[in-house]
Amino acid sequence: MLTLRALDRGDRAAVVAFLLADPAHARTCFDRDPVPADADDLLSSAGYGPGRHRHALVGAFDDDVLVGLLDLVLGWPTPQTAYLGLVHVHPGRRRAGVGAALLAHAEQEARDGGCRQLMLSVVARHHEARAHWHRRGFRPLTARGERAAGPLESVVMHRPVAAAPGPATDAAAGAPAPDGRGAGGPAQSPEARRAACSRISRRSCEPTSTSRPSSVVAR
């Protein structure tokens, strides 16, 4: 049975083992192999800077084995944004609903926290991940995201937070508009979009980051 819970420093060994089990992720996103210190980066919120945002690293466990990670920040880079720094599923557990469970958890936390949009960033050359998130309604935050970017450059994507499921919302639910202004979604000004991208880009330039800015394919 899959269970989700917040992780802390006491879970460091499990996070290290999880990251080392999938070196392809770090190689694709950062041109290097994962190292144990990457777990410290994930467990810390320092990389997101000061502010009133709330950070949590959530683990998905199956029979006490860590099979998925969600790095979630509520209220970053804007107050009404829930940022997915990482959605990572163990290679041996993909296409088993782990990623869907992590994304559903992120969306519920975003709703409860009053956030109006989900945001993530994907390394441009990670075409599989970009296609994966596109199928789930995420669209580039700026037109620049539609153009070719450098191999390790990030493409920032977002979509509205879906309304809570129920008889009323099920009937009215629809796919978000390509500009990210679906039901309940924010109509951001160009200035707000540029500011959000700028904050993510600055965070993405830190060479020690293992999860940010690349949200790996989660299935």
Side-chain angles (χ1 to χ4, degrees):
M1 179 178 177
L2 194 69
T3 59
L4 274 62
R5 67 170 175 84
L7 304 179
D8 57 29
R9 293 288 176 180
D11 298 295
R12 183 181 186 276
V15 176
V16 169
F18 179 91
L19 296 175
L20 296 182
D22 188 12
H25 173 240
R27 291 169 186 165
T28 298
C29 301
F30 303 102
D31 277 342
R32 64 168 176 82
D33 287 333
V35 296
D38 291 337
D40 300 316
D41 181 62
L42 279 172
L43 288 163
S44 172
S45 60
Y48 292 107
R52 301 182 65 181
H53 51 267
R54 291 186 290 136
H55 170 255
L57 182 65
V58 178
F61 290 85
D62 188 6
D63 292 332
D64 295 324
V65 176
L66 183 62
V67 296
L69 287 176
L70 165 68
D71 183 60
L72 178 65
V73 193
L74 300 181
W76 193 92
T78 67
Q80 292 186 321
T81 298
Y83 185 75
L84 283 63
L86 177 72
V87 182
H88 193 168
V89 177
H90 189 284
R93 292 301 308 270
R94 290 176 184 163
R95 295 184 171 86
V98 178
L102 291 171
L103 183 58
H105 177 81
E107 191 139 37
Q108 183 61 56
E109 289 293 302
R111 275 195 296 267
D112 293 345
C115 296
R116 299 182 63 197
Q117 68 172 345
L118 300 175
M119 186 180 292
L120 54 84
S121 53
V122 183
V123 168
R125 71 181 180 187
H126 202 331
H127 300 292
E128 183 183 9
R130 291 172 64 178
H132 171 88
W133 292 115
H134 192 276
R135 289 194 298 272
R136 278 145 187 81
F138 286 82
R139 298 294 183 266
L141 188 62
T142 66
R144 180 176 176 277
E146 300 284 4
R147 303 197 297 268
L152 292 180
E153 200 170 348
S154 297
V155 175
V156 181
M157 306 177 75
H158 72 149
R159 74 164 170 78
V161 172
T169 57
D170 288 345
D179 62 1
R181 294 194 294 268
Q188 291 188 325
S189 68
E191 292 77 12
R193 291 196 296 269
R194 285 194 293 270
C197 283
S198 177
R199 293 184 68 182
I200 292 172
S201 295
R202 287 197 299 272
R203 179 63 185 84
S204 302
C205 289
E206 299 185 13
T208 58
S209 174
T210 181
S211 66
R212 308 127 186 171
S214 175
S215 295
V216 76
V217 172
R219 306 180 182 88

